[in-house]
Amino acid sequence: MKNILVLLVLLVSVAFVSCKPATDNNVWDNVPIQKLPFSMTDSDRNSVLQWMLTQETFNKHFNISPETNEMDKMFHRDNGWKHLSLDFDFKSNEQGHFIKRLPDVNHNKVLLFAVYDDKMNDDVGFGIKVWIQLQTFDSDGKFIDKLIVYAYMGSECRFSRNFTYDEKNVIRLKDRKRCVDVSADDPYETVYDAIATYAYRISDDGKIVELPQEHTEEILVDRFAEEFSEPVMPLD
């Protein structure tokens, strides 16, 4: 009988641990909520470049502590972009740092995490990479969905993503890819420039759902296409 009681206690303990949420509910009480609408854009690109130059300036800009806190532990590691049309594929194992809480959507939590990665990715060809990821969690702190809403990656081709988030839980993204030819007489001359826009809504179940009717793409400059669009002379 005693052995049975011990076994029951162990089973209850295991069940309790396995069901334990990612963070205690009372943690939310100490996290201020950002008023809407909220946005991060490139209206002041110079200041953006200043805070992303080093890990230290990045941490200072977002008031990030070197120590991983309770909210940081909720970060669900990234496994790539969602709906990125400008020929970029980005993956990273860097730890995200909690920077802001947005209003709940039907009791589901909406959090923003900032990530800094200065490791060269051979598949992408970029050095410094900075991005902000929006992630949703249920009331117990269990992960639901995620979307990179702000990003910057710099090289001969620069990629940026900006966003706005409104009172209707709609996320509007603007992607831009701009390339220069450093071997040309004017190394700052733009040879490729394209813009894409997307819109998403956070549904009542916490899922991030695309609004495809609001997707647009526009190529502003494409010198490569112009170069190869000239007619080819027939062979004799």
Side-chain angles (χ1 to χ4, degrees), residues 166-177:
D166 64 25
E167 296 90 338
K168 295 182 179 180
N169 308 320
V170 174
I171 308 162
R172 301 187 189 279
L173 306 178
K174 180 180 179 181
D175 293 355
R176 187 164 192 171
K177 175 184 175 182

Side-chain angles (χ1 to χ4, degrees), residues 19-83:
C19 296
K20 186 178 180 180
T23 187
D24 295 330
N25 288 333
N26 59 2
V27 171
W28 303 114
D29 298 334
N30 301 320
V31 181
I33 299 176
Q34 171 68 43
K35 293 182 179 180
L36 300 179
F38 177 72
S39 64
M40 289 188 68
T41 68
D42 288 337
S43 58
D44 188 359
R45 171 56 69 191
N46 289 333
S47 65
V48 173
L49 290 174
Q50 288 174 4
W51 60 252
M52 68 169 56
L53 287 177
T54 66
Q55 180 78 65
E56 289 73 23
T57 55
F58 173 82
N59 290 348
K60 184 177 180 181
H61 179 81
F62 288 110
N63 195 28
I64 293 173
S65 169
E67 302 296 330
T68 302
N69 59 39
E70 191 67 23
M71 298 299 291
D72 292 346
K73 294 177 183 178
M74 295 190 65
F75 178 70
H76 190 83
R77 290 189 183 275
D78 178 62
N79 63 356
W81 298 86
K82 176 186 283 189
H83 296 289

Side-chain angles (χ1 to χ4, degrees), residues 55-171:
Q55 180 78 65
E56 289 73 23
T57 55
F58 173 82
N59 290 348
K60 184 177 180 181
H61 179 81
F62 288 110
N63 195 28
I64 293 173
S65 169
E67 302 296 330
T68 302
N69 59 39
E70 191 67 23
M71 298 299 291
D72 292 346
K73 294 177 183 178
M74 295 190 65
F75 178 70
H76 190 83
R77 290 189 183 275
D78 178 62
N79 63 356
W81 298 86
K82 176 186 283 189
H83 296 289
L84 187 62
S85 67
L86 299 180
D87 300 325
F88 283 87
D89 183 20
F90 182 66
K91 299 179 181 180
S92 176
N93 290 318
E94 293 298 316
Q95 170 67 43
H97 298 276
F98 169 77
I99 59 171
K100 200 169 291 292
R101 176 185 175 187
L102 301 176
D104 294 354
V105 177
N106 192 32
H107 303 296
N108 295 311
K109 312 304 178 183
V110 183
L111 307 181
L112 293 179
F113 296 89
V115 186
Y116 181 95
D117 187 352
D118 59 1
K119 300 179 181 64
M120 179 61 72
N121 187 324
D122 293 335
D123 296 330
V124 180
F126 285 96
I128 296 175
K129 297 173 286 291
V130 175
W131 69 101
I132 309 296
Q133 190 170 90
L134 181 150
Q135 299 191 355
T136 57
F137 302 83
D138 66 16
S139 57
D140 290 327
K142 294 180 181 178
F143 171 77
I144 301 175
D145 208 350
K146 61 186 175 182
L147 177 68
I148 292 179
V149 293
Y150 183 90
Y152 179 85
M153 294 181 279
S155 183
E156 293 178 17
C157 284
R158 294 182 177 182
F159 172 81
S160 65
R161 167 174 282 187
N162 304 326
F163 83 100
T164 61
Y165 183 66
D166 64 25
E167 296 90 338
K168 295 182 179 180
N169 308 320
V170 174
I171 308 162

